[in-house]
Amino acid sequence: MIIPFDNTYARLPERFFARQNPAQVPAPQLIRVNDSLAAELGLDVEWLRSPDGLRMLSGNCPPRGSEPIAQAYAGHQFGGWVPQLGDGRAILLGEVVDKKGVRRDIQLKGAGRTPFSRGGDGKAALGPVLREYLVSEAMYALGVPTTRALAAVATGETVARERGLPGGIFTRVAASHIRVGTFQFFAARNDLDALRSLTEHAISRHYPAAADSPNPILAFLQSVIATQARLIAKWLQLGFIHGVMNTDNMAVSGETIDFGPCAFMDAFHPQCVFSSIDQRGRYAWGNQPSIGDWNLTRLAETLLPLIADSQDDSRVLAEAALDQFGHAFQSHYRTGFRGKLGIPEAVADAEAAAFIDRTLSMMARDEMDFTLFFRRLTRLASGADASAFEILFPDRSVCSQWLGEWRAIAAPVAVDAMLAGNPVIIPRNHRVEEAIRHAYAGDFAPFHRLADVLARPFEESSESREYERAPEPHEVVHETFCGT
Ligand code: AMP
Ligand code: MG
């Protein structure tokens, strides 16, 4: 098949990227192709599954029309400035315009060294490939803006990590791979021409309406702030912890990107962290809004020379835009948790907010399972008896008191909002780890089963029951690793 590539990033000035072909791999094997995403992109699924398709997905033969590049970017990692990062293990094949007219990047992750690889090997181990596949597709099914998984392949190579592991390549589809760190890369070099081109490019791809505003650059900043406020509120509502919210891992499109040591919480605690590299808890569940704000402030700084003629005017406008983040986040957060608790619209915001806070404090104190709490409450609201909900509480009297308060505030209960906001299935860590463990032993069946179940997270079925369960004490995963 001829893929109708229509590449625009590769038309930007040469200093935006390095041209780089993917590495050859010895024995590629297809693990999974995402049929519905392939159809969205107008790609022929049968072709993707064919030997020629595998040659593309493994990097062995970039298809006609692709222009493989590694993108340049910089970033703050855990608050520390790194002037040059860039795609060290990812290669952008090109862009296609999907069936809805949206331009999408097709990128191979783990496709070999690039000029940005520094000391790294440019490769990915199979585990992180499968993890990104499962978690990004779960996010999509849960209704969260996210990059997507088109395919996962095994390369037949062994990659050197703490131990030798089978290698893999992940094909990622994104609205774009432009990060806050991409802006920082050029700002740090005082390259105003590049910043202008990058902003124009990002506006035309993600926020075309900003182009018609009297101040398109400011409108762009405001748009990124708005989409990030919405995105991070969604993460919090699902108990999701990104794990590495460095500025190079924040996409200006508003999609969740770079699923490394991310995780969904089982037992709720606002200071919950999984990432083995986040020792101080910088990116804990409850810190994500303030880190989002911090990252957006770094983006705003890069745009100061472009927003107005004087730095002072720019600063005033940028600060006003940044002030909106907190308001927007709070509003999405409140709306989301009101829905999760079925609190009807007639209840005043302040009253709802206080009840949400009290509820989360109680859940944290008793380390209740985040997903089960809301889903069992949803079942109760739909007519089930209270027993399954009650057993989440170590103390029955706390449960009846809380239920009394809830019934008082959430009457008549907005059951539809609860059903829409409280999934049955999330990618629980012990399930993801189990799928990876079996895959390393050559058995991909648990991975496929999990991927299938995660595609329908709001459905109750006999199959979903088993995946809904919280981990037993011996199954709890405490740490997740980057380790690609
Ligand atoms: P991350 O924290 O995973 O978003 O990656 C941070 C930076 O490290 C990016 O510039 C990556 O391209 C680079 N990187 C991560 N793993 C590798 C690897 N195995 N080889 C080369 N570069 C890598
Ligand atoms: Mg990254």
Short mmCIF file of all heavy atoms in Angstrom, two decimals, residues 361-403:
data_model
loop_
_atom_site.label_atom_id
_atom_site.label_comp_id
_atom_site.label_asym_id
_atom_site.label_seq_id
_atom_site.Cartn_x
_atom_site.Cartn_y
_atom_site.Cartn_z
N SER A 361 -10.49 13.01 51.63
CA SER A 361 -9.69 12.87 52.86
C SER A 361 -10.02 11.57 53.56
O SER A 361 -9.12 10.86 54.03
CB SER A 361 -9.98 14.01 53.85
OG SER A 361 -9.68 15.22 53.26
N MET A 362 -11.28 11.23 53.58
CA MET A 362 -11.68 9.97 54.20
C MET A 362 -11.09 8.78 53.43
O MET A 362 -10.55 7.84 54.01
CB MET A 362 -13.20 9.87 54.23
CG MET A 362 -13.72 8.54 54.72
SD MET A 362 -15.49 8.38 54.43
CE MET A 362 -15.51 8.05 52.66
N MET A 363 -11.17 8.86 52.10
CA MET A 363 -10.63 7.76 51.29
C MET A 363 -9.13 7.61 51.51
O MET A 363 -8.60 6.50 51.56
CB MET A 363 -10.89 8.03 49.80
CG MET A 363 -12.37 7.90 49.43
SD MET A 363 -12.64 8.48 47.73
CE MET A 363 -11.78 7.20 46.81
N ALA A 364 -8.44 8.76 51.64
CA ALA A 364 -6.99 8.72 51.84
C ALA A 364 -6.66 8.13 53.20
O ALA A 364 -5.75 7.32 53.34
CB ALA A 364 -6.41 10.12 51.71
N ARG A 365 -7.42 8.54 54.21
CA ARG A 365 -7.14 8.06 55.57
C ARG A 365 -7.22 6.54 55.62
O ARG A 365 -6.38 5.87 56.20
CB ARG A 365 -8.13 8.70 56.54
CG ARG A 365 -7.74 8.56 58.00
CD ARG A 365 -8.79 9.16 58.91
NE ARG A 365 -10.10 8.56 58.67
CZ ARG A 365 -11.21 9.25 58.40
NH1 ARG A 365 -11.17 10.57 58.33
NH2 ARG A 365 -12.36 8.62 58.19
N ASP A 366 -8.24 5.99 54.97
CA ASP A 366 -8.42 4.54 55.02
C ASP A 366 -7.84 3.84 53.79
O ASP A 366 -8.05 2.65 53.59
CB ASP A 366 -9.90 4.20 55.19
CG ASP A 366 -10.39 4.56 56.59
OD1 ASP A 366 -9.56 4.56 57.51
OD2 ASP A 366 -11.59 4.87 56.74
N GLU A 367 -7.10 4.59 52.98
CA GLU A 367 -6.47 4.03 51.78
C GLU A 367 -7.42 3.14 50.99
O GLU A 367 -7.13 1.98 50.70
CB GLU A 367 -5.17 3.30 52.13
CG GLU A 367 -4.19 4.24 52.81
CD GLU A 367 -2.73 3.85 52.62
OE1 GLU A 367 -2.47 2.75 52.12
OE2 GLU A 367 -1.88 4.69 52.97
N MET A 368 -8.57 3.70 50.68
CA MET A 368 -9.58 2.92 49.95
C MET A 368 -9.20 2.80 48.48
O MET A 368 -8.56 3.69 47.94
CB MET A 368 -10.92 3.63 50.06
CG MET A 368 -11.45 3.63 51.47
SD MET A 368 -12.99 4.53 51.48
CE MET A 368 -13.42 4.35 53.20
N ASP A 369 -9.68 1.74 47.87
CA ASP A 369 -9.41 1.57 46.44
C ASP A 369 -10.20 2.63 45.66
O ASP A 369 -11.44 2.68 45.73
CB ASP A 369 -9.80 0.17 45.98
CG ASP A 369 -9.36 -0.06 44.54
OD1 ASP A 369 -10.15 0.28 43.61
OD2 ASP A 369 -8.24 -0.54 44.34
N PHE A 370 -9.48 3.46 44.91
CA PHE A 370 -10.06 4.63 44.25
C PHE A 370 -11.16 4.23 43.26
O PHE A 370 -12.28 4.76 43.28
CB PHE A 370 -8.94 5.40 43.54
CG PHE A 370 -9.37 6.71 42.94
CD1 PHE A 370 -9.45 7.85 43.72
CD2 PHE A 370 -9.66 6.81 41.58
CE1 PHE A 370 -9.83 9.07 43.17
CE2 PHE A 370 -10.04 8.03 41.03
CZ PHE A 370 -10.12 9.15 41.82
N THR A 371 -10.85 3.27 42.40
CA THR A 371 -11.79 2.90 41.34
C THR A 371 -13.00 2.14 41.90
O THR A 371 -14.14 2.39 41.50
CB THR A 371 -11.06 2.07 40.27
OG1 THR A 371 -9.89 2.80 39.88
CG2 THR A 371 -11.91 1.82 39.05
N LEU A 372 -12.73 1.22 42.82
CA LEU A 372 -13.84 0.45 43.40
C LEU A 372 -14.79 1.34 44.18
O LEU A 372 -16.00 1.15 44.17
CB LEU A 372 -13.30 -0.66 44.32
CG LEU A 372 -12.68 -1.87 43.63
CD1 LEU A 372 -12.21 -2.88 44.68
CD2 LEU A 372 -13.67 -2.54 42.67
N PHE A 373 -14.24 2.32 44.90
CA PHE A 373 -15.08 3.21 45.70
C PHE A 373 -16.16 3.84 44.82
O PHE A 373 -17.35 3.76 45.11
CB PHE A 373 -14.23 4.30 46.37
CG PHE A 373 -15.03 5.26 47.21
CD1 PHE A 373 -15.22 5.02 48.57
CD2 PHE A 373 -15.61 6.40 46.66
CE1 PHE A 373 -15.97 5.90 49.35
CE2 PHE A 373 -16.36 7.28 47.42
CZ PHE A 373 -16.53 7.03 48.78
N PHE A 374 -15.73 4.45 43.73
CA PHE A 374 -16.68 5.18 42.90
C PHE A 374 -17.59 4.23 42.11
O PHE A 374 -18.76 4.51 41.90
CB PHE A 374 -15.95 6.14 41.96
CG PHE A 374 -15.36 7.31 42.70
CD1 PHE A 374 -14.00 7.41 42.95
CD2 PHE A 374 -16.19 8.32 43.18
CE1 PHE A 374 -13.46 8.48 43.64
CE2 PHE A 374 -15.66 9.41 43.88
CZ PHE A 374 -14.30 9.48 44.11
N ARG A 375 -17.05 3.10 41.68
CA ARG A 375 -17.89 2.20 40.88
C ARG A 375 -18.94 1.50 41.76
O ARG A 375 -20.08 1.32 41.36
CB ARG A 375 -17.01 1.17 40.16
CG ARG A 375 -17.78 0.41 39.11
CD ARG A 375 -18.26 1.34 38.01
NE ARG A 375 -19.34 0.75 37.23
CZ ARG A 375 -19.82 1.25 36.09
NH1 ARG A 375 -19.32 2.35 35.59
NH2 ARG A 375 -20.79 0.66 35.46
N ARG A 376 -18.54 1.11 42.96
CA ARG A 376 -19.52 0.44 43.83
C ARG A 376 -20.57 1.44 44.30
O ARG A 376 -21.74 1.08 44.48
CB ARG A 376 -18.81 -0.22 45.00
CG ARG A 376 -18.03 -1.44 44.51
CD ARG A 376 -17.46 -2.24 45.64
NE ARG A 376 -16.69 -3.35 45.09
CZ ARG A 376 -15.95 -4.17 45.82
NH1 ARG A 376 -15.90 -4.01 47.13
NH2 ARG A 376 -15.28 -5.15 45.24
N LEU A 377 -20.17 2.69 44.46
CA LEU A 377 -21.15 3.72 44.80
C LEU A 377 -22.13 3.90 43.63
O LEU A 377 -23.34 4.08 43.84
CB LEU A 377 -20.43 5.04 45.12
CG LEU A 377 -21.34 6.19 45.58
CD1 LEU A 377 -21.99 5.87 46.93
CD2 LEU A 377 -20.55 7.49 45.68
N THR A 378 -21.60 3.79 42.42
CA THR A 378 -22.45 3.90 41.23
C THR A 378 -23.47 2.76 41.20
O THR A 378 -24.64 2.96 40.89
CB THR A 378 -21.58 3.86 39.95
OG1 THR A 378 -20.58 4.87 40.06
CG2 THR A 378 -22.40 4.10 38.69
N ARG A 379 -23.00 1.56 41.56
CA ARG A 379 -23.93 0.41 41.58
C ARG A 379 -25.00 0.60 42.64
O ARG A 379 -26.17 0.31 42.43
CB ARG A 379 -23.16 -0.89 41.85
CG ARG A 379 -22.42 -1.35 40.64
CD ARG A 379 -21.99 -2.81 40.76
NE ARG A 379 -21.05 -3.05 39.68
CZ ARG A 379 -19.78 -3.38 39.85
NH1 ARG A 379 -19.29 -3.59 41.05
NH2 ARG A 379 -19.00 -3.52 38.80
N LEU A 380 -24.55 1.12 43.78
CA LEU A 380 -25.49 1.38 44.86
C LEU A 380 -26.54 2.39 44.38
O LEU A 380 -27.75 2.21 44.58
CB LEU A 380 -24.70 1.91 46.06
CG LEU A 380 -25.38 2.10 47.41
CD1 LEU A 380 -24.31 2.03 48.52
CD2 LEU A 380 -26.08 3.43 47.50
N ALA A 381 -26.05 3.44 43.71
CA ALA A 381 -26.98 4.47 43.21
C ALA A 381 -27.92 3.90 42.16
O ALA A 381 -29.01 4.42 41.95
CB ALA A 381 -26.18 5.63 42.63
N SER A 382 -27.48 2.83 41.48
CA SER A 382 -28.33 2.22 40.43
C SER A 382 -29.24 1.15 41.02
O SER A 382 -29.89 0.44 40.26
CB SER A 382 -27.46 1.59 39.33
OG SER A 382 -26.41 2.42 38.98
N GLY A 383 -29.23 0.98 42.34
CA GLY A 383 -30.20 0.06 42.96
C GLY A 383 -29.62 -1.15 43.66
O GLY A 383 -30.36 -1.91 44.28
N ALA A 384 -28.29 -1.35 43.58
CA ALA A 384 -27.70 -2.50 44.28
C ALA A 384 -27.75 -2.26 45.79
O ALA A 384 -27.84 -1.12 46.23
CB ALA A 384 -26.26 -2.70 43.82
N ASP A 385 -27.70 -3.36 46.58
CA ASP A 385 -27.66 -3.13 48.03
C ASP A 385 -26.26 -2.63 48.42
O ASP A 385 -25.33 -2.69 47.62
CB ASP A 385 -28.09 -4.38 48.81
CG ASP A 385 -27.03 -5.45 48.78
OD1 ASP A 385 -25.92 -5.19 49.28
OD2 ASP A 385 -27.31 -6.53 48.22
N ALA A 386 -26.14 -2.15 49.64
CA ALA A 386 -24.94 -1.42 50.03
C ALA A 386 -23.76 -2.31 50.43
O ALA A 386 -22.66 -1.80 50.68
CB ALA A 386 -25.27 -0.45 51.17
N SER A 387 -23.95 -3.63 50.44
CA SER A 387 -22.93 -4.48 51.06
C SER A 387 -21.55 -4.39 50.39
O SER A 387 -20.54 -4.29 51.08
CB SER A 387 -23.41 -5.93 51.11
OG SER A 387 -23.71 -6.35 49.79
N ALA A 388 -21.52 -4.41 49.04
CA ALA A 388 -20.23 -4.37 48.34
C ALA A 388 -19.50 -3.05 48.62
O ALA A 388 -18.27 -3.01 48.70
CB ALA A 388 -20.42 -4.56 46.85
N PHE A 389 -20.27 -1.97 48.77
CA PHE A 389 -19.68 -0.67 49.06
C PHE A 389 -19.18 -0.62 50.50
O PHE A 389 -18.06 -0.18 50.76
CB PHE A 389 -20.72 0.43 48.80
CG PHE A 389 -20.21 1.81 48.99
CD1 PHE A 389 -19.26 2.34 48.12
CD2 PHE A 389 -20.64 2.60 50.06
CE1 PHE A 389 -18.76 3.64 48.30
CE2 PHE A 389 -20.15 3.88 50.24
CZ PHE A 389 -19.21 4.40 49.37
N GLU A 390 -20.01 -1.16 51.40
CA GLU A 390 -19.66 -1.14 52.83
C GLU A 390 -18.32 -1.80 53.14
O GLU A 390 -17.57 -1.32 53.98
CB GLU A 390 -20.74 -1.88 53.63
CG GLU A 390 -21.76 -0.98 54.25
CD GLU A 390 -22.91 -1.78 54.86
OE1 GLU A 390 -22.81 -3.03 54.99
OE2 GLU A 390 -23.92 -1.13 55.20
N ILE A 391 -18.04 -2.90 52.45
CA ILE A 391 -16.81 -3.62 52.81
C ILE A 391 -15.54 -2.87 52.41
O ILE A 391 -14.44 -3.27 52.78
CB ILE A 391 -16.76 -5.08 52.27
CG1 ILE A 391 -16.94 -5.10 50.76
CG2 ILE A 391 -17.78 -5.96 52.97
CD1 ILE A 391 -16.72 -6.48 50.17
N LEU A 392 -15.68 -1.76 51.69
CA LEU A 392 -14.50 -0.93 51.41
C LEU A 392 -14.09 -0.14 52.64
O LEU A 392 -12.97 0.39 52.70
CB LEU A 392 -14.80 0.04 50.26
CG LEU A 392 -15.11 -0.59 48.90
CD1 LEU A 392 -15.61 0.48 47.93
CD2 LEU A 392 -13.86 -1.26 48.32
N PHE A 393 -14.99 -0.05 53.62
CA PHE A 393 -14.71 0.73 54.83
C PHE A 393 -14.25 -0.19 55.95
O PHE A 393 -14.91 -1.19 56.23
CB PHE A 393 -15.98 1.45 55.32
CG PHE A 393 -16.43 2.57 54.43
CD1 PHE A 393 -16.99 2.32 53.19
CD2 PHE A 393 -16.31 3.89 54.85
CE1 PHE A 393 -17.41 3.36 52.38
CE2 PHE A 393 -16.74 4.93 54.05
CZ PHE A 393 -17.29 4.66 52.81
N PRO A 394 -13.15 0.16 56.61
CA PRO A 394 -12.74 -0.65 57.76
C PRO A 394 -13.75 -0.53 58.90
O PRO A 394 -13.86 -1.43 59.72
CB PRO A 394 -11.40 -0.06 58.18
CG PRO A 394 -11.07 1.04 57.24
CD PRO A 394 -12.20 1.23 56.29
N ASP A 395 -14.51 0.56 58.91
CA ASP A 395 -15.43 0.79 60.01
C ASP A 395 -16.83 1.06 59.45
O ASP A 395 -17.05 2.06 58.75
CB ASP A 395 -14.90 2.00 60.81
CG ASP A 395 -15.75 2.31 62.04
OD1 ASP A 395 -16.91 1.85 62.09
OD2 ASP A 395 -15.23 3.02 62.92
N ARG A 396 -17.76 0.15 59.76
CA ARG A 396 -19.14 0.26 59.26
C ARG A 396 -19.80 1.59 59.61
O ARG A 396 -20.57 2.14 58.83
CB ARG A 396 -20.01 -0.86 59.88
CG ARG A 396 -19.87 -2.18 59.20
CD ARG A 396 -20.94 -2.27 58.09
NE ARG A 396 -20.80 -3.54 57.42
CZ ARG A 396 -21.59 -4.60 57.67
NH1 ARG A 396 -22.56 -4.50 58.54
NH2 ARG A 396 -21.41 -5.74 57.03
N SER A 397 -19.54 2.07 60.82
CA SER A 397 -20.25 3.29 61.25
C SER A 397 -19.78 4.49 60.43
O SER A 397 -20.55 5.40 60.14
CB SER A 397 -20.06 3.53 62.75
OG SER A 397 -18.70 3.82 63.00
N VAL A 398 -18.50 4.49 60.02
CA VAL A 398 -18.01 5.57 59.15
C VAL A 398 -18.76 5.52 57.82
O VAL A 398 -19.16 6.54 57.27
CB VAL A 398 -16.48 5.45 58.92
CG1 VAL A 398 -16.00 6.50 57.93
CG2 VAL A 398 -15.73 5.56 60.23
N CYS A 399 -18.98 4.29 57.35
CA CYS A 399 -19.69 4.12 56.08
C CYS A 399 -21.11 4.66 56.19
O CYS A 399 -21.56 5.42 55.33
CB CYS A 399 -19.70 2.65 55.69
SG CYS A 399 -20.58 2.36 54.14
N SER A 400 -21.82 4.29 57.24
CA SER A 400 -23.22 4.73 57.28
C SER A 400 -23.31 6.24 57.48
O SER A 400 -24.18 6.90 56.91
CB SER A 400 -24.04 3.97 58.32
OG SER A 400 -23.37 3.97 59.53
N GLN A 401 -22.36 6.78 58.22
CA GLN A 401 -22.37 8.24 58.38
C GLN A 401 -22.11 8.93 57.04
O GLN A 401 -22.80 9.87 56.66
CB GLN A 401 -21.32 8.65 59.40
CG GLN A 401 -21.58 10.07 59.88
CD GLN A 401 -20.40 10.63 60.66
OE1 GLN A 401 -19.65 9.88 61.30
NE2 GLN A 401 -20.21 11.94 60.59
N TRP A 402 -21.09 8.41 56.32
CA TRP A 402 -20.77 9.03 55.02
C TRP A 402 -21.95 8.89 54.05
O TRP A 402 -22.31 9.83 53.36
CB TRP A 402 -19.49 8.41 54.43
CG TRP A 402 -19.11 9.13 53.16
CD1 TRP A 402 -18.37 10.27 53.06
CD2 TRP A 402 -19.52 8.80 51.82
NE1 TRP A 402 -18.28 10.68 51.75
CE2 TRP A 402 -18.98 9.79 50.96
CE3 TRP A 402 -20.29 7.77 51.28
CZ2 TRP A 402 -19.19 9.77 49.58
CZ3 TRP A 402 -20.49 7.76 49.90
CH2 TRP A 402 -19.94 8.75 49.06
N LEU A 403 -22.53 7.68 54.03
CA LEU A 403 -23.67 7.47 53.11
C LEU A 403 -24.84 8.41 53.45
O LEU A 403 -25.52 8.91 52.55
CB LEU A 403 -24.15 6.01 53.17
CG LEU A 403 -23.41 5.03 52.26
CD1 LEU A 403 -23.93 3.61 52.48
CD2 LEU A 403 -23.54 5.42 50.78
#
